């Protein structure tokens, strides 16, 4: 393997999960032996429990396109894609200086910050698929997510 461009940028959790799937990562470490490293299987298992397991390239492209009106930095977009905020508290925790950025609209006019944050969250909920449900038993969530991942590949 030849590295074409070292440190070309950050990867979303979806891109890492997609790469691990393409390499043959499985939740069962015994099923991975020889194909991928044990650490890759652990990373794969973890990512199946994040919003990345339900995302598609199209949903991420759509989010990036529609988020331009909100003046987000690349790091903020990455956080939102990886963690999919569902409340204003989540948005304020993920987006640097959220209050300062969201108190003016795209024309520079002062607007209601809470309204703007809610509009942003509505767009996120519309574009990015919901995260996997929290299962009572951890193993159930992993099995459900892996079954969904296999269905997406077919």
């Amino acid at each position: 393997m030849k590295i074409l461009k070292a440190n070309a940028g950050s990867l979303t959790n979806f891109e890492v999960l997609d790469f691990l799937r393409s390499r043959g990562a499985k939740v069962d470490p015994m099923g991975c032996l020889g194909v991928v490293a044990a650490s890759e299987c652990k990373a794969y298992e973890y990512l199946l429990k994040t919003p990345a397991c339900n995302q598609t390239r199209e949903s991420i492209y759509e989010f990036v396109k529609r988020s331009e009106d909100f003046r987000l930095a690349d790091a903020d977009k990455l956080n939102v894609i990886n963690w999919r905020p569902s409340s204003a508290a989540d948005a304020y925790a993920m987006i640097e200086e959220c209050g300062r950025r969201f108190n003016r609209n795209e024309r520079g006019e002062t607007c209601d910050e809470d309204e703007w944050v809610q509009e942003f969250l509505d767009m996120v909920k519309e574009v990015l698929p919901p995260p996997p449900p929290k299962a009572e038993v951890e193993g159930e969530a992993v099995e459900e997510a892996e079954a969904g991942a296999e269905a997406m590949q077919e």
Side-chain angles (χ1 to χ4, degrees):
M1 178 168 75
K2 183 178 179 182
I3 297 173
L4 299 177
K5 188 173 180 184
N7 198 15
S10 301
L11 296 174
T12 64
N13 286 351
F14 169 78
E15 291 168 315
V16 174
L17 183 62
D18 191 45
F19 173 75
L20 292 173
R21 282 181 184 143
S22 72
R23 298 224 336 123
K26 302 266 187 248
V27 172
D28 176 22
M30 297 308 287
C32 290
L33 290 180
V35 179
V36 295
S39 59
E40 290 176 312
C41 288
K42 286 291 187 187
Y44 177 76
E45 183 177 345
Y46 167 75
L47 289 172
L48 287 176
K49 299 174 194 172
T50 69
C53 75
N54 294 329
Q55 292 174 345
T56 63
R57 288 195 188 285
E58 293 76 25
S59 66
I60 291 172
Y61 291 146
E62 180 70 16
F63 168 76
V64 170
K65 186 172 116 187
R66 290 183 57 186
S67 67
E68 288 174 6
D69 292 342
F70 295 96
R71 300 178 313 276
L72 297 175
D74 289 343
D76 296 327
K77 290 176 188 174
L78 186 66
N79 278 334
V80 171
I81 291 166
N82 285 344
W83 303 112
R84 193 188 181 271
S86 57
S87 69
D90 291 342
Y92 279 92
M94 279 181 215
I95 300 171
E96 188 175 338
E97 299 180 357
C98 184
R100 186 177 64 82
R101 280 201 227 162
F102 282 6
N103 67 2
R104 298 197 179 276
N105 64 19
E106 65 274 0
R107 293 182 300 276
E109 301 165 345
T110 302
C111 64
D112 182 7
E113 173 184 327
D114 294 333
E115 238 178 70
W116 200 240
V117 169
Q118 190 56 52
E119 186 178 324
F120 173 73
L121 289 171
D122 291 343
M123 183 273 293
V124 168
K125 289 175 187 172
E126 182 182 324
V127 174
L128 296 175
K134 302 276 186 216
E136 294 294 321
V137 179
E138 187 174 301
E140 288 178 20
V142 171
E143 288 172 10
E144 289 172 10
E146 193 166 61
E150 289 173 4
M152 284 179 65
Q153 289 178 338
E154 294 174 353

